[in-house]
Amino acid sequence: MKAVIVGAGTMGQGIAEVGLSAGWEIHLVDVDQEILQAARSAIMRRLARRPADREPASQPSIDTLCLGTDLRTACLRADVVIETASEDLAVKVGILTAAAEATTSDAILATNTSALSVTEMGAASGAPHRLVGLHFFNPVPRMRLVEVIRGLETSEAVVERAANFCLELGKDPVILNDSPAFVASRVNALIGNEAFTMLQEGVASAEDIDKALRLGLNHPMGPFELGDLVGWDVRYKVLQHLHVTLGDRFRPNPLMVKYVQAGRLGRKTGRGVYEYPAIDSKG
C-alpha cells in the first residue's frame, strides 16, 4: 500500500516514520530537495534508535521511503495522500486540488489541518466526497490519537477507510464532525494561550508551568514544550481562526504574538520559549 505525505516538516516526518513502521510504501514530497534530504536523515536517526526487539522482517526499512518534488508523479498509484502544509487555506487547497486530479477516484485525500474547515477544503478541491481530515499530533510516533474529521460531503466509506488506515499505523482514531479546531486543538489552544498569560503575569517560569502540567495533569509535554515543537506560528494561526469563529476567549495572548513577530517560533527556528542546538532545529 502506498501513502503520499506532502510536506517534510516535523509533522510530515512523523507520519512518514509511522507509515514506514507499518510497512507502507511512503512517498515524501516537498518543494525543496535539501529539506527532503534533511527529513530523510532525521527519520533514519529515529528509526535507528528504536529497540531492536522485533523480528527482522518487521523492522521498518528506509528503503521504502521515496523522496520527490513532483506531487503529481508521487500520486500515481497512491492509496492515501496526506497534506501537512502550514495552516494556510489557499496552500492546502492547492495541494489537495492537484492531488485530486492526479489520483484515482478511490484514493483517500486527507488534510492534517488542526483548525481549518474540512468541508470548505473539500468543496474547493473538487473532490469533497473523498476528502477527510486526519489530524495527527506531535510527536507523531509517540502520540496515539488521530482525529478523523468528517466534512459535510465526505462519504462514510472514506471515513471508515481513513479510520482503518490509522489503526494500521498503530493509532487510536476518533471520528468527529467538522467544527472549528475539532476537539483536542480547541482545548490545547486555550491551554497554550493561558500558559502565555501566566508567563506574562509572572505567575511562574516557563519551566515550572510545563512541569506543573506534566506532573499535575499527566500531560506528556508541557504547553511551552509542545508549542515549541508544533511552532508558535501554527498556534497563532489556530487562535486567530478560533477568535474569529468562536469569540473573544480565543484572542491570542500579546506575548505569544510578540514571539511570533520576533521569529521565535520554536524548534524549527532554533528558538521559541526555549533555545535549541542547531541539530535539533533540523528535526
Side-chain angles (χ1 to χ4, degrees):
M1 302 294 282
K2 175 181 175 181
V4 177
I5 316 300
V6 187
T10 301
M11 181 61 71
Q13 291 177 31
I15 299 173
E17 181 180 336
V18 297
L20 291 170
S21 296
W24 279 62
E25 175 186 347
I26 301 296
H27 286 242
L28 189 59
V29 178
D30 204 288
V31 296
D32 190 317
Q33 280 284 4
E34 289 189 7
I35 291 175
L36 285 168
Q37 292 300 329
R40 186 178 190 277
S41 297
I43 293 169
M44 287 178 64
R45 287 197 302 271
R46 289 193 291 270
L47 290 177
R49 290 199 295 264
R50 292 199 170 193
D53 57 357
R54 304 182 181 186
E55 293 296 327
S58 67
Q59 289 285 358
S61 173
I62 198 69
D63 294 335
T64 57
L65 175 65
C66 300
L67 308 178
T69 57
D70 188 331
L71 173 61
R72 292 178 183 273
T73 299
C75 282
L76 296 175
R77 301 182 297 99
D79 298 287
V80 181
V81 179
I82 307 172
E83 70 78 21
T84 69
S86 62
E87 291 292 282
D88 184 303
L89 185 64
V91 172
K92 289 181 177 292
V93 167
I95 293 169
L96 292 167
T97 301
E101 294 171 353
T103 51
T104 59
S105 60
D106 61 346
I108 296 173
L109 304 176
T111 172
N112 185 60
T113 182
S114 56
L116 300 177
S117 170
V118 173
T119 299
E120 184 175 0
M121 282 186 271
S125 72
H129 61 288
R130 57 189 179 109
L131 180 66
V132 65
L134 285 182
H135 182 208
F136 291 80
F137 291 80
N138 269 318
V140 177
R142 288 170 49 195
M143 302 296 284
R144 293 188 60 83
L145 176 65
V146 179
E147 292 179 325
V148 180
I149 300 99
R150 177 196 293 113
L152 184 63
E153 302 293 338
T154 310
S155 77
E156 286 305 310
V158 166
V159 172
E160 183 178 353
R161 288 173 57 208
N164 286 335
F165 168 69
C166 296
L167 290 171
E168 287 189 32
L169 301 188
K171 302 303 179 185
D172 289 331
V174 294
I175 298 175
L176 314 173
N177 290 317
D178 194 14
S179 63
F182 322 125
V183 173
S185 287
R186 189 186 299 189
V187 174
N188 249 337
L190 285 172
I191 292 173
N193 212 36
E194 186 62 23
F196 255 110
T197 298
M198 290 189 288
L199 184 64
Q200 185 176 16
E201 292 173 350
V203 173
S205 67
E207 291 85 353
D208 282 345
I209 292 171
D210 276 344
K211 185 177 181 180
L213 268 73
R214 287 198 311 273
L215 301 183
L217 299 183
N218 204 28
H219 289 192
M221 303 179 74
F224 295 120
E225 294 170 315
L226 182 58
D228 273 7
L229 178 64
V230 172
W232 291 108
D233 53 334
V234 175
R235 282 298 174 87
Y236 178 44
K237 287 181 180 179
V238 170
L239 282 165
Q240 285 181 307
H241 176 67
L242 292 174
H243 185 210
V244 170
T245 56
L246 296 179
D248 204 54
R249 70 186 187 275
F250 290 98
R251 183 186 297 275
N253 172 270
L255 183 58
M256 180 194 295
V257 176
K258 286 183 180 179
Y259 272 57
V260 174
Q261 291 172 339
R264 293 177 59 170
L265 307 182
R267 285 185 176 272
K268 60 188 173 185
T269 60
R271 189 183 186 196
V273 176
Y274 304 113
E275 295 189 13
Y276 304 91
I279 187 171
D280 287 345
S281 68
K282 294 179 181 178

